[in-house]
Amino acid sequence: MIADYHVESFTAEEQQLLAPHVTNLDRPVFALTNLPQVTAAALFARYSRSSKSLRRLLVDEFLAHDAGGQAAGPDAGRERASDLFGRVLAEYGDDSVAQLAGVHLACEQVSQPLAKAIEWGRLAAYLEQSTRYIPYTDRRDGHYRYLRDRELISSPLGATYIRAMDLLFDTYTALREPLARHLDETLPPEIDEKARKRAIRALALDLMRGLLPAGTVSNVGMFGSPQAYEQLVLRLRAHPLPEAQAYAELVNAELQKLIPEFLTRLGRPDRGAVWVDYLRETAAALARNADLLSPENEWGPTGVTLVEWDGDGEDRILASALFPYSHASQERLIAAVRPLSEARKAVLFEAAVGHRGNRRHRPGRGFEHCDYTFEVVSDYGAFRDLQRHRMLTVQWQELTPSLGYEVPDAVVDAGLAERWHVAVREAEAAYREVVDSFPQQAGYLVTLGHRMRYVIKLNAREAMHLIELRTSPQGHPSYRQICQEMLRLIDEVAGHHLVAGAMRFAGSDDVHLPRYAAEAASTVAAE
């Protein structure tokens, strides 16, 4: 293995309960077996908001929940799962958990870069452990939760790496409560005091996540087809990060226990091996040419730039929306739409959008015929959240400290910024020491608060989904600002006023306590 993974302890009784339902009891990658679909899906839904491992959640909250603690049988955990699904969907509207039915894989103790590599595939569904609900203050086997690459740790640079990582986590642990007290003292009162406290806790964790390094380990729950899993293993084998290459074999070992017939090509030199070579060689060639064409590190301020869009995008949307209901060609419909007056186009657009009762009422695929490309420089934490939208195209550059980092205003106002700076500067210094010998592992030292550059290409339909979802009041301030700016650029720079106007559920106001409304609603539902 590439790292020393924490091995969780279970009593003999717990092992007996778990054994029929997981493929192993002691490794970080394992799959669920012999569970009803609803139990497996609900278990992963619970996973993203708990600090517990999946096996611990399964035995504590699902198997032990059954009458008599009987794990065997076709209905294991069904009562608890049905209750949880009803609450998750009704109270939080968390539609993504409904995708997670079928074959599931748990990938635990993965770094943030590896999590992004796992989640790159479009043909799967993912839920990742949240930094909003879980404080990363505990130690496992005496260590904070960051990736301990064996080669790096055992090298002369190991002490430098550990010292910098520990300081980041020490500072995160030390500042979390003072920041929460500052927020409690400065934010206005709310009607529901319990909901306010929960919202303040979530906001404090949101703000503090910028101190967490990319090496922070997380849990990723995944559902995918055999095709998606095959592509995942090949992609990780070709990845330059040693952790990813080693993890590919952990994933493959567990999948071979469940779906070996679908994965026979992975071991064939003329199929899987050649495909991995192709990925590696292509990446190396592009890297060489990129260095030749633009060897310098170009600095850029935080912000969003609309770099490309379809000038006649709204005409294309109208023609494409009409197409399924017409017997004319696409070319003929575009020619018919173009000379229409702005008022007539607005009427047609209104018909295509329809009466939207909420943000889940999205118009049809005609809106996929208008594309936008944005270049974004933001903190890595915001990128992590936006990258998970699988219908858009995201390409990102190497994570380094070169673009600087951000300290939240609330941290500055609370008088905590200096300790934040000290910890991050130590991590940056360690990065510079480590990067020549360990160019891939050095990225673990870069924090979620450091900026990175990436490009997002998406169509108008996906833009509506992304912008309305990520500007909702409970969203993180970083990605709310990015998506609000994307909407402004679509309206003012692209001049697509009809597209922008169709996004009726985009949030535009600053929210002082993002999670309050959702927490208050959950209190009412519980009562």
Side-chain angles (χ1 to χ4, degrees), residues 179-190 193 196 199-201 203-204 207 410 511-514 516:
L179 177 61
R181 287 196 298 271
H182 170 76
L183 295 172
D184 187 32
E185 293 167 358
T186 57
L187 291 175
E190 303 287 355
E193 184 58 27
R196 181 178 183 272
I200 285 175
R201 180 181 184 274
L203 178 56
L207 297 172
V511 180
H512 66 269
L513 196 51
Y516 174 74

Side-chain angles (χ1 to χ4, degrees), residues 132 187 199 203 206 472-477 480 511-519:
R132 163 173 279 178
L187 291 175
L203 178 56
D206 266 350
S472 61
Q474 61 266 37
H476 191 285
R480 287 188 82 245
V511 180
H512 66 269
L513 196 51
R515 281 294 305 173
Y516 174 74
E519 294 294 348

Side-chain angles (χ1 to χ4, degrees), residues 92-119:
Y92 295 102
D94 201 347
D95 295 338
S96 60
V97 301
Q99 301 170 8
L100 299 176
V103 178
H104 292 76
L105 188 74
C107 297
E108 299 194 347
Q109 303 178 60
V110 302
S111 71
Q112 301 302 304
L114 177 54
K116 297 302 99 184
I118 290 172
E119 295 166 357

Side-chain angles (χ1 to χ4, degrees), residues 85-162:
F85 249 107
R87 289 191 297 105
V88 167
L89 292 174
E91 295 174 23
Y92 295 102
D94 201 347
D95 295 338
S96 60
V97 301
Q99 301 170 8
L100 299 176
V103 178
H104 292 76
L105 188 74
C107 297
E108 299 194 347
Q109 303 178 60
V110 302
S111 71
Q112 301 302 304
L114 177 54
K116 297 302 99 184
I118 290 172
E119 295 166 357
W120 185 88
R122 285 197 177 105
L123 302 179
Y126 315 92
L127 279 178
E128 184 178 347
Q129 192 174 50
S130 174
T131 56
R132 163 173 279 178
Y133 302 101
I134 303 160
Y136 285 78
T137 55
D138 60 312
R139 293 174 181 260
R140 296 175 178 177
D141 299 330
H143 308 295
Y144 283 121
R145 279 188 277 167
Y146 60 82
L147 204 287
R148 299 175 65 83
D149 180 276
R150 284 180 177 175
E151 186 180 7
L152 173 55
I153 293 294
S154 61
S155 76
L157 294 167
T160 299
Y161 176 80
I162 290 172

Side-chain angles (χ1 to χ4, degrees), residues 470-514:
R470 295 303 187 182
T471 58
S472 61
Q474 61 266 37
H476 191 285
S478 292
Y479 63 64
R480 287 188 82 245
Q481 292 172 4
I482 292 170
C483 290
Q484 286 168 351
E485 181 64 5
M486 291 171 72
L487 177 57
R488 187 191 71 79
L489 293 171
I490 289 173
D491 187 26
E492 298 180 9
V493 175
H496 291 180
H497 310 308
L498 297 176
V499 172
M503 301 185 199
R504 296 164 188 164
F505 297 96
S508 58
D509 299 330
D510 290 332
V511 180
H512 66 269
L513 196 51

Side-chain angles (χ1 to χ4, degrees), residues 108-343:
E108 299 194 347
Q109 303 178 60
V110 302
S111 71
Q112 301 302 304
L114 177 54
K116 297 302 99 184
I118 290 172
E119 295 166 357
W120 185 88
R122 285 197 177 105
L123 302 179
Y126 315 92
L127 279 178
E128 184 178 347
Q129 192 174 50
S130 174
T131 56
R132 163 173 279 178
Y133 302 101
I134 303 160
Y136 285 78
T137 55
D138 60 312
R139 293 174 181 260
R140 296 175 178 177
D141 299 330
H143 308 295
Y144 283 121
R145 279 188 277 167
Y146 60 82
L147 204 287
R148 299 175 65 83
D149 180 276
R150 284 180 177 175
E151 186 180 7
L152 173 55
I153 293 294
S154 61
S155 76
L157 294 167
T160 299
Y161 176 80
I162 290 172
R163 183 172 60 252
M165 295 292 265
D166 282 349
L167 181 58
L168 287 171
F169 278 89
D170 284 341
T171 307
Y172 173 92
T173 301
L175 300 190
R176 189 172 67 89
E177 288 301 328
L179 177 61
R181 287 196 298 271
H182 170 76
L183 295 172
D184 187 32
E185 293 167 358
T186 57
L187 291 175
E190 303 287 355
I191 295 174
D192 187 335
E193 184 58 27
K194 291 183 179 179
R196 181 178 183 272
K197 288 185 179 299
R198 293 195 298 270
I200 285 175
R201 180 181 184 274
L203 178 56
L205 291 175
D206 266 350
L207 297 172
M208 290 304 303
R209 79 176 185 180
L211 267 179
L212 293 174
T216 302
V217 295
S218 181
N219 298 330
V220 178
M222 176 180 175
F223 162 72
S225 67
Q227 179 189 28
Y229 286 125
E230 179 186 62
Q231 294 296 309
L232 171 65
V233 172
L234 293 173
R235 193 168 65 250
L236 294 185
R237 284 176 174 174
H239 201 284
L241 187 66
E243 177 197 6
Q245 297 169 24
Y247 217 87
E249 305 317 314
L250 292 173
V251 170
N252 184 41
E254 300 309 313
L255 293 175
Q256 292 290 350
K257 299 175 183 178
L258 298 176
I259 51 173
E261 300 84 359
F262 296 97
L263 303 175
T264 56
R265 294 180 298 182
L266 287 176
R268 289 174 52 181
D270 62 329
R271 299 298 293 271
V274 171
W275 202 84
V276 171
D277 289 341
Y278 163 76
L279 288 179
R280 288 176 175 168
E281 291 168 2
T282 303
L286 289 171
R288 288 193 299 270
N289 281 280
D291 285 340
L292 290 173
L293 290 170
S294 56
E296 72 283 353
N297 290 324
E298 182 182 358
W299 189 84
T302 302
V304 183
T305 304
L306 179 58
V307 297
E308 189 174 11
W309 64 94
D310 292 330
D312 62 346
E314 291 184 331
D315 290 347
R316 292 183 178 277
I317 288 173
L318 286 174
S320 301
L322 293 167
F323 182 84
Y325 306 97
S326 170
H327 297 285
S329 66
Q330 179 82 343
E331 184 181 10
R332 175 69 183 85
L333 287 169
I334 291 175
V337 165
R338 278 178 177 156
L340 296 177
S341 67
E342 295 301 317

